């Protein structure tokens, strides 16, 4: 678990972060993605076709999917790929359900909000 927490911390401090979530509609996830879109240097991509996310220059990725294994094909060791409900080649972590994804997203967004907070 410390590996995952360390990796989330790295994403939280990334200069640019893209979050891509492909799963069955869920109000909790939608709320978290809307919150993520308000954070500085954070882009929420809502893919419309099953294809790997397109990485922006210098952008780290957090990708979660409950069905599309292609979403994990371009991830690096600096990214986090979360397979929801089953194993997927290329994913770094498998969680059992959306509840676990909500916990991971909440943690990432909390850490990122502090990391992106301006220092005075």
């Amino acid at each position: 678990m410390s590996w995952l927490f360390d990796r989330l911390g790295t994403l939280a401090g990334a200069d640019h972060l893209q979050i891509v979530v492909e799963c069955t509609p869920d109000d909790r996830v939608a709320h978290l993605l809307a919150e993520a879109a308000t954070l500085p240097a954070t882009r929420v991509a809502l893919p419309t076709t099953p294809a790997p996310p397109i990485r922006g220059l210098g952008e780290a990725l957090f990708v979660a999917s409950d069905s599309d294994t292609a979403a994990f094909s371009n991830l690096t060791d600096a990214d986090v790929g979360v397979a929801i409900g089953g194993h997927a080649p290329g994913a770094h972590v498998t969680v059992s359900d959306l509840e676990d994804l909500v916990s991971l997203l909440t943690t990432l967004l909390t850490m990122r909000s502090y990391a992106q907070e301006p220092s005075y």
Side-chain angles (χ1 to χ4, degrees):
M1 186 62 144
S2 66
W3 169 88
L4 180 56
F5 191 74
D6 288 346
R7 184 70 63 89
L8 291 175
T10 300
L11 289 182
D15 290 339
H16 301 281
L17 175 64
Q18 179 182 174
I19 299 173
V20 180
V21 177
E22 301 172 353
C23 66
T24 50
D26 183 274
D27 288 341
R28 299 165 300 172
V29 173
H31 174 76
L32 287 169
L33 294 177
E35 179 184 331
T38 68
L39 295 174
T42 304
R43 181 166 62 113
V44 176
L46 301 173
T48 56
T49 60
I54 297 171
R55 181 188 305 272
L57 184 62
E59 196 169 49
L61 296 173
F62 177 94
V63 177
S65 178
D66 62 0
S67 61
D68 182 20
T69 58
F72 305 115
S73 64
N74 293 331
L75 297 180
T76 69
D77 288 340
D79 303 323
V80 171
V82 180
I84 306 163
H87 175 73
H92 299 107
V93 177
T94 300
V95 296
S96 59
D97 54 30
L98 286 178
E99 190 69 34
D100 292 335
L101 175 62
V102 167
S103 294
L104 287 175
L105 279 172
T106 300
T107 301
L108 174 59
L109 298 182
T110 299
M111 294 171 77
R112 187 147 178 88
S113 68
Y114 286 110
Q116 297 297 314
E117 189 173 271
S119 56
Y120 297 100

